[in-house]
Amino acid sequence: MARSFLLFLLGMLVFGFAAPVTAQTSAEEGAEVVVTATRVETDVRHLPDSVTVISREDIDRREVQGLYQALETYPSISIKHNGWLGQWGYLRLRGGKSQDTAVLFDGVRLYDPSYPANDFGDLWSWFDAENFERIEIVRGPQSALYGSNAMTGAVNLIPRKGGGPFEARFKGGYGRYDTWRGTGHVKGSLGPLGYFVGISGVNTDGLYRDSEFRQSTVDTNLNLTPFANSSNRILKTLKLDYTLRYAYGYLNYGQWDWKSFRAYNDPHAERRQIIFLNHFTVTLKPTKWWNSKLTAGYHFTKRDYLDRDDGVLAYRADGSPVTDSYMDGLYRGKVYPVIFQNDFFYKDWVILSAGIEYYKEKGDFYNASSWGTKEYDDEVSTTSYFANLFLLPMDERLAVNLGARVDDHEEFGTHFTYKVGMAYFLTDTLKIKANLATGFRAPSLFNLYDPRYGNPDLDPEESTGGDIGVEQELFGGKLRWSVTWFNTHYEERISFNYATWHYYNSGGGVATGLETEIESRPYSWLSLGLNYTYTEGQEDDTENLALVPHHQIGARVSFEWQKLRLNLYYKYVGRRPAYDHKHMIADYSRVDLTGSYAVTDYAEVFFRAENLFDVDYEWAAGYRAPGFNLFAGIKLKTF
């Protein structure tokens, strides 16, 4: 199968070079474009996929710190969170597990090889949402584009880039739980060099007595067009781009007690974490119809746990003691991604993207309680060949998206995945769409080789999923609605056996559901959004999906009048089972309100009122969520 795919890839490359093509026209001027669904800028209107774009303005209006806060109220996103900022948080998309969603940082897969599932882990709460240009969410299997961990979708975190006129902005504020937060950035150009430098930080005592969280993040982008004034047409298109994110965090976390099924304060359970991301990209346009891009990166993650034995932490209702289960250890993960991609354009209706990806990953673990013994130190590499063909025939009334990929995994051999999507406009504004795709996820180094929990005999997970839906725009784009049905089947699911305390292949699973959305902007000063998601399924031999409710509603209202901006957010989450599939978590409704007022052209006051009506609820069983929480501050800017 690998040989057939390589011939297919070669044929499309030859087509791209040989075709008499014209200038690039991947998206109409002024249209909303996304990169994640096809790996090249494409007009959202034409895509068969279900896509959500969270803009920089959306993030700024919401006044959030953690990444999970920016994703709330959007379709098919279920969040588990263990309290306040920095505490453990997980995301499930379309009923899939957390490890079924690929997280990308500027198009490059972001994961920690030392995490149990080789995924983004609990960074949904820890990762700062500041300094992203936008967040693109593509729902549905995306393994044909991004490989392992993309069985239910992809979330692409696109950082801000340097360039343009000089800009400096600063923001600071204070709120409940003794929470301080500050951010700032400068952006501009020095001749052919564009630069962006951003710094953000947060310090909070946290929701519980012992739940302090401190974090600092630095974001940098430098981009250079060294031959912008050259007479050589090809050299003029050469662009060098360097992106960096460095983040350090400290967290005091609680201890989970499975007997009473609740969390307890642990005064000396400490976690320190470092994330260091580097990408260097070279782009070139040899012709008007051919773009070429090479990205090389280095990702480093480090998690250091130090939990002193505090003896008895509390007493259960029956009088029995809850004793401290301490853990000391050091986890380190390293990833070396290399991506070479070529995009070819034919007139106004053909875009071909094809290339090669190489990911080398390494993970190790030191057990500090065993005098610094290294318990495992392993590495693995994956070489992948991918191609995606996007067609707009019939005067753009029909859109066809075809993707294919071969992952050559060092441990598990060759795996082929595909993606087929079609959209057809019944009228100028009414579109029907459908997708069918396969997915693949290799066991992580932790799953395989951890001396306590690992199982070297694990098989990779596989999936087949699809969706079918309808979208329509009305009143000149002022109203848009959509309905999408989705279904995903899984094979050889990797689960944890609490009887043997090892990972194993638990069998199959399924998730199915319905997404509905309505978005409206009736006036320039008012925008509305409403969505409802129904999800059901089966996993680990149980007739439910852990942490995923059957019913979920999200709503957003934004109002702007002269110098005043107000934003209302509503979230309803139905009853859902806890991770053990037995305990049930009660449903809840929550309302957040944010706003700002421009005092001058250069100063603005803002606030965020979370849980406006002080609802008592839980994201995760046994972990109390924040009550009414007011955070306020000031923004300063200059141009």
Side-chain angles (χ1 to χ4, degrees), residues 458-478:
L458 289 173
D459 293 321
E461 297 183 348
E462 296 182 350
S463 69
T464 302
D467 56 43
I468 185 170
V470 59
E471 294 182 12
Q472 187 175 25
E473 289 186 355
L474 298 170
F475 310 115
K478 291 185 176 181

Side-chain angles (χ1 to χ4, degrees), residues 121-172:
D122 55 16
L123 294 178
W124 298 105
S125 173
W126 196 87
F127 218 57
D128 197 327
E130 194 73 25
N131 296 330
F132 288 134
E133 183 63 29
R134 66 185 187 277
I135 301 172
E136 297 180 358
I137 305 169
V138 183
R139 300 185 290 277
Q142 305 297 322
S143 287
L145 293 176
Y146 300 107
S148 190
N149 292 80
M151 294 196 292
T152 59
V155 177
N156 194 359
L157 311 173
I158 301 175
R160 295 199 64 183
K161 302 294 185 181
F166 177 77
E167 172 185 299
R169 299 197 176 190
F170 307 93
K171 178 171 67 174

Side-chain angles (χ1 to χ4, degrees), residues 61-63 565-567 569 592-596 607-609:
R61 282 176 175 269
R62 198 146 194 173
E63 302 296 351
R565 293 198 310 182
L566 293 174
N567 312 280
Y569 303 92
D592 299 339
L593 177 67
T594 70
S596 63
F607 73 92
R608 171 183 169 89

